[in-house]
Amino acid sequence: MPTSVDFETFYDKKNKLSASVQGADLYIRDPRFNAYMVSVYDGTEAWAGHLSRFNWDALDGQHLLSHNAGFDARVYSRLVEQGLAPSLNIPSWQCTANLSTYLCMRRDLGRAVEFLFGVQLDKSVRGNADGKTWEDLTKEDGGKSMIEYAKQDAIYCWRIWNKYGHLWPTLEKKLSALTIKQCRRGVQIDADKLELFIGVAEKMRVQAEQALPWMAEGKKPTSPKAVAEQCRRVNIPCPPVKSHDGEEAYDEWAAQFSAKYRWVKAYTDFRVINKFITTLNTIRERLRENGTFPFELLYFGAHTGRWSGSGGFNMQNMRKEPLYCDDEGWLITDPDKLKEIERALDPKNGGQLPSWVAYALDIRALFTARPGRKLILSDLSQIEPRVLAWLAGDFKLLELLARGQSPYEAHARSTMKWEGGELKYEDKELYALAKARVLGLGFGCGWKKFITVAYNMASLDITKDDPEEYQATNDEGELCFKADGTPVMKDGYGYNSRRIVKEYREQNPLVTGLWKTLDESFKQSEGGDFEMALPSGRSLRYGEVRRERRAIHDEETGETKWKWAMTALAFDQKRNAVVRKPFYGGLLTENLVQATARDVFGEHLIALDEAGGMDPLWSVHDEAILDCDASRSTKDVKHLMSQAPEWIPGLPVSADTQEAPHYKK
DNA sequence: GCAAGATGCGCC
DNA sequence: AAAGGGCGCATCTTGC
């Protein structure tokens, strides 16, 4: 029988002493850090009290459990370092927070216990301990309430494992343990480069800041109010809200006014540079003496099972493009100039930065292998379209993929009547369309959204060939064009987008069939839970399916329409809570594909970890970053990541693998 | 003074 | 009938 362990440690939010603010590593090394209490439970007896009274030998040789094992294990190691705990033999330390998330997307103990046992825990004791030392707590009530609280936590941690541990597959246990190991191990940082980047970026920030007229009045640099006031002052419209009016609308606004007003470019630049500096500062603050950077990655951070970044630094969303700085310290944002840089950097053209670029600040270049080792980067090639084809039973497409064709070309051959040679080179237009269809239309996306999706994913403006009657006209009746020469279209336009969406659906009955099947199964589970089985053996659960009327607000007309929708309980990341959301066939298909792709990748991660000689440092959904010894090559990695797990036979898997001096796009 | 919401900027 | 989805963090404003 395992033993659960829970440490209570001093935290002080006001003075920025806490694991959530500092990250676990910095927190436990902070001079103010103090672990004052430990509680344990072995299924029969619970004990909680001050560390000085704890019989550590009781844990020797025991399999341990903690709710957030990564944290408690680090606290223990720190205590050993400080001579406050003996070094014990601990064969395993499992995490019930990770288990709870796997089971029901409730990570914190309170909500997990509420869902799994129907018991409401009182978490107020911990909340009230903010800024209080053990001495403070003993003065209050002899520490009694904290002792009871800590006991309760250890007991429920143990009970979660005891009741549900067997539902956690072996592979998932390994992935949980690997994730905990990765976070603690961290990654080697090029510290000199870090300092250089921060120095250059700070100068760039000053440059941008000096161009903001409202700074003189003491307004904040990115204050929306200050920007709006400035717009009124010079009699130009306020910048369109990107999430509301669309990115394109904003780009047009910026293009129109940036030549005349330098602050138009500068205030957006400021945001970009400032974000960059803040991110780099987090690395600097958390850097350990050996130059490694510990991070946090959440096992099962998304309801599909994907990992999520966490803990103040997200390892999964580092920008791909460097910040380019010109001789005067301005951020280079002009698309033509960026293209020129890209051309110049191509090895075929010399592979050097143009002379007018003073610095290229690439955050990814800071992440390297440990001394004497090498970095290997490997990502699964278009795993989601491949998985979709497998799930839909599209054997024709699978066969083309198995022959080594890209999903875009295979799709064009399979459904778009392409019979020529290599599509990418022979018909660029069709290739772009195939790419947009594959990436954009597999999950039920509608024509309106597809216009942006095609633009973002395949740089395709599918409205440009729309018939003239859809093109907007000005007051004089002349046709309207954007700055780049493409037409401005009327509301209700989208002739070609509608046509493409319709054609895709007609030509891919297996995919639409999958949407329909899932949609119908979902509807049939009305009144109960909908459980979607995944090929790997795990499943996604959608709780308490209901048919209900939901208000839809039409942005254009301002009207509110009521529509029937099928809804279920699902985890909402933004609110960090389980809420009711609408679902439909396309969305369920998307969840199914993403979850299955994650499971395939999970098998690869464990295979890589167990192969030896290479440490998976962290992962980004379909991409593994490995710190390898000299005996390992890209071939080994590529081979392991090209296997289809036995539960998904015939899935054509392939990986792009490279050795690199540092992390890169 | 703090929390929550809106917005922006990043990623697959 | 139609419906992109999955994430995290910083900054600013507003409301209590």
Side-chain angles (χ1 to χ4, degrees), chain A residues 181-188 288 293-295 370 617:
Chain A
K181 183 168 78 179
Q182 289 175 324
C183 296
R184 193 168 167 172
R185 178 165 57 205
V187 52
Q188 192 74 37
R288 292 183 289 210
F293 169 64
F295 50 82
R370 279 175 156 73
L617 291 177

Side-chain angles (χ1 to χ4, degrees), chain A residues 560-630:
Chain A
T560 298
K561 286 181 194 158
W562 288 85
K563 286 187 174 178
W564 286 101
M566 295 303 297
T567 67
L569 297 180
F571 187 71
D572 184 293
Q573 213 70 35
K574 289 206 167 60
R575 297 180 202 174
N576 188 23
V578 174
V579 298
R580 187 159 283 281
K581 286 181 178 180
F583 287 91
Y584 53 91
L587 178 50
L588 293 168
T589 303
E590 206 275 338
N591 287 181
L592 172 63
V593 169
Q594 190 182 104
T596 303
R598 176 272 185 196
D599 289 347
V600 171
F601 182 67
E603 297 265 1
H604 292 153
L605 272 185
I606 296 305
L608 293 164
D609 189 44
E610 293 183 347
M614 44 189 173
D615 297 328
L617 291 177
W618 81 96
S619 56
V620 189
H621 309 307
D622 59 1
E623 174 191 9
I625 297 92
L626 302 132
D627 186 289
C628 305
D629 66 29

Side-chain angles (χ1 to χ4, degrees), chain A residues 90 259 480 635:
Chain A
I90 297 164
C480 296
K635 216 176 136 192

Side-chain angles (χ1 to χ4, degrees), chain A residues 357-429:
Chain A
V357 180
Y359 292 100
L361 310 182
D362 177 9
I363 184 170
R364 298 190 178 211
L366 300 174
F367 296 79
T368 69
R370 279 175 156 73
R373 294 172 67 88
K374 59 186 182 187
L375 205 67
I376 292 180
L377 313 172
S378 185
D379 66 287
L380 292 175
S381 311
Q382 310 100 357
I383 185 67
E384 290 198 3
R386 291 164 191 262
V387 167
L388 175 61
W390 191 92
L391 290 163
D394 191 340
F395 295 106
K396 190 174 162 192
L397 187 61
L398 288 170
E399 204 202 309
L400 293 171
L401 291 171
R403 279 198 238 153
Q405 274 177 31
S406 91
Y408 315 139
E409 177 161 346
H411 172 77
R413 286 185 193 281
S414 171
T415 69
M416 299 168 82
K417 303 192 178 78
W418 174 252
E419 289 173 350
E422 211 171 332
L423 180 63
K424 192 173 183 175
Y425 303 105
E426 292 198 8
D427 190 339
K428 280 185 182 159
E429 188 96 347

Side-chain angles (χ1 to χ4, degrees), chain A residues 26 31 41 62 72 86 96 116 144 154 259 268 343 372 376 393-394 413 458 482 491 532 561 572 592 616 626:
Chain A
L26 210 57
Y41 182 60
Q62 295 296 309
D72 290 278
T96 55
L116 297 170
K144 262 189 194 157
T268 299
R343 265 198 305 275
I376 292 180
D394 191 340
R413 286 185 193 281
K482 291 179 211 160
D491 289 346
M532 186 157 67
K561 286 181 194 158
D572 184 293
L592 172 63
L626 302 132

